[in-house]
Amino acid sequence: MPRKIIIDTDPGQDDAVAILLALASPEEIEVLGITAVAGNVPLELTAKNARIICELAGKPDVKVYAGCDRPMAKTLVTAEHVHGQTGLNGPKLPDPVMALQDGHGVDFIIDTLRAEPAGTVTLCPLGPLTNIATAFERAPDIIEKVQEIVLMGGAYFEVGNITPAAEFNIYVDPEAAEITFRSGVPIVVMPLDVTHKALVTPARNDAFRALGTPVGKAVAEMTDFFERFDKEKYGSEGAPLHDPCVTAYLIRPELFSGRHINVEIEVKSDLTRGMTVADWWGVTDRAPNAMFMGDIDADGFFALLTERLARL
């Protein structure tokens, strides 16, 4: 049976690839809906971009909802410096025809978890955790019904990419991250430690382009744009595809390895706000609350990605 998921996202080129991978994999993944959140760009654009990607995939029937337009306790920080003014800079993609669903994304999360059998819905946050934490705060009865949360966010060995200590998704809404990590729901984390090993090298991007399809061309052009920032910043061979690690894990969990450890979120310090304090070495007595991934089979990941994108 395919795993039922809700994708919570702030597209973002890498979010777009994560969504495409999920929509190309119906044997393993059933996308119940997509909820947009403010993050890489403001909510108006993330909700628009999610629909653009569904139409690119040929899946205009996917339900897309707009969620929270700002973090729970601070001013929104965005990342146009990485993703461009639209969030999807690179390819020229038409505006969406499909409508945004009526209702709020948080209500969709709550209603879906209440309607589906307990333990059958996985939440897949690819951006700040505002929608997830808000749903948990408004409807605590849904927490025990979540099968698992598989998220992209945080870092330990790779430290921060938006501040010296913090990864972007967690930094944008640390209060939401704290609520989520303390919820008791089983959590799988794809931190920068993993995603910085999922690099789109020229050969891997050529493989996307060689698919000869609108999807393959768009993904290649997204990465062409996206990689300029990381190449300059890190001196890396290409752009890390952060968010598709989440959907790849749902399809091929054996591509990833990590440790079940305690992860706490720093919300008070100005210096380290948004830091994921990961007890990788087990030096505290704090109970483990997350499977924190540390490594990826990058060749296997890109082989899966290329094979699935070819279906669209």
Side-chain angles (χ1 to χ4, degrees):
M1 292 287 292
R3 181 185 281 212
K4 296 177 181 179
I5 73 168
I6 296 172
I7 298 175
D8 188 65
T9 181
D10 61 337
Q13 291 91 348
D14 56 323
D15 304 70
V17 181
I19 294 167
L20 291 170
L21 177 57
L23 295 178
S25 304
E27 301 92 343
E28 295 91 358
I29 296 172
E30 179 184 352
V31 180
L32 299 178
I34 296 174
T35 52
V37 67
N40 285 323
V41 287
L43 179 66
E44 181 181 358
L45 288 173
T46 62
K48 176 183 177 180
N49 291 346
R51 289 176 288 147
I52 288 173
I53 296 309
C54 290
E55 291 188 354
L56 176 64
K59 308 286 185 181
D61 55 332
V62 176
K63 295 177 180 178
V64 178
Y65 295 82
C68 296
D69 66 354
R70 68 196 70 185
M72 299 182 86
K74 62 177 286 195
T75 302
L76 177 65
V77 175
T78 55
E80 288 90 349
H81 63 290
V82 179
H83 298 278
Q85 290 302 308
T86 70
L88 286 182
N89 281 35
K92 288 182 170 60
L93 297 172
D95 286 345
V97 175
M98 61 186 281
L100 200 60
Q101 296 293 308
D102 293 333
H104 197 283
V106 169
D107 293 326
F108 171 72
I109 293 170
I110 293 170
D111 293 345
T112 302
L113 284 166
R114 284 176 172 167
E116 295 287 340
T120 63
V121 177
T122 295
L123 302 178
C124 298
L126 309 178
L129 289 158
T130 316
N131 286 340
I132 306 302
T134 302
F136 286 179
E137 290 273 274
R138 287 188 192 169
D141 59 289
I142 68 173
I143 294 173
E144 65 181 14
K145 298 194 72 175
V146 180
Q147 179 180 356
E148 192 172 41
I149 296 171
V150 184
L151 67 90
M152 189 278 134
Y156 180 64
F157 294 100
E158 287 286 301
V159 292
N161 65 351
I162 188 68
T163 74
E167 178 275 330
F168 177 82
N169 286 345
I170 305 298
Y171 178 76
V172 170
D173 200 340
E175 284 77 14
E178 182 179 48
I179 290 167
T180 303
F181 275 82
R182 292 186 174 178
S183 67
V185 175
I187 297 176
V188 176
V189 183
M190 296 294 168
L192 298 181
D193 308 288
V194 164
T195 66
H196 279 181
K197 297 172 184 174
L199 294 177
V200 186
T201 61
R204 289 165 176 166
N205 212 30
D206 287 346
F208 296 149
R209 206 181 314 271
L211 294 175
T213 62
V215 167
K217 180 185 177 189
V219 169
E221 290 177 349
M222 285 182 207
T223 307
D224 285 340
F225 177 85
F226 186 56
E227 71 177 4
R228 93 225 176 277
F229 177 81
D230 290 275
K231 280 184 170 181
E232 182 178 340
K233 181 175 182 179
Y234 299 111
S236 57
E237 218 181 334
L241 277 185
H242 306 284
D243 294 329
C245 291
V246 169
T247 35
Y249 173 81
L250 300 176
I251 301 165
R252 299 261 174 84
E254 66 275 9
L255 293 173
F256 302 89
S257 60
R259 295 183 184 180
H260 192 224
I261 62 172
N262 179 268
V263 180
E264 299 290 335
I265 311 299
E266 177 56 60
V267 297
K268 295 178 181 177
S269 166
D270 290 337
L271 192 63
T272 57
R273 181 175 168 82
M275 182 178 183
T276 44
V277 183
D279 187 10
W280 184 260
W281 305 112
V283 295
T284 75
D285 58 1
R286 294 193 290 267
N289 63 349
M291 174 60 74
F292 200 82
M293 293 301 179
D295 209 353
I296 179 176
D297 172 358
D299 287 338
F301 169 79
F302 279 98
L304 171 67
L305 190 51
T306 306
E307 180 251 312
R308 293 302 169 91
L309 292 180
R311 297 176 170 187
L312 297 173

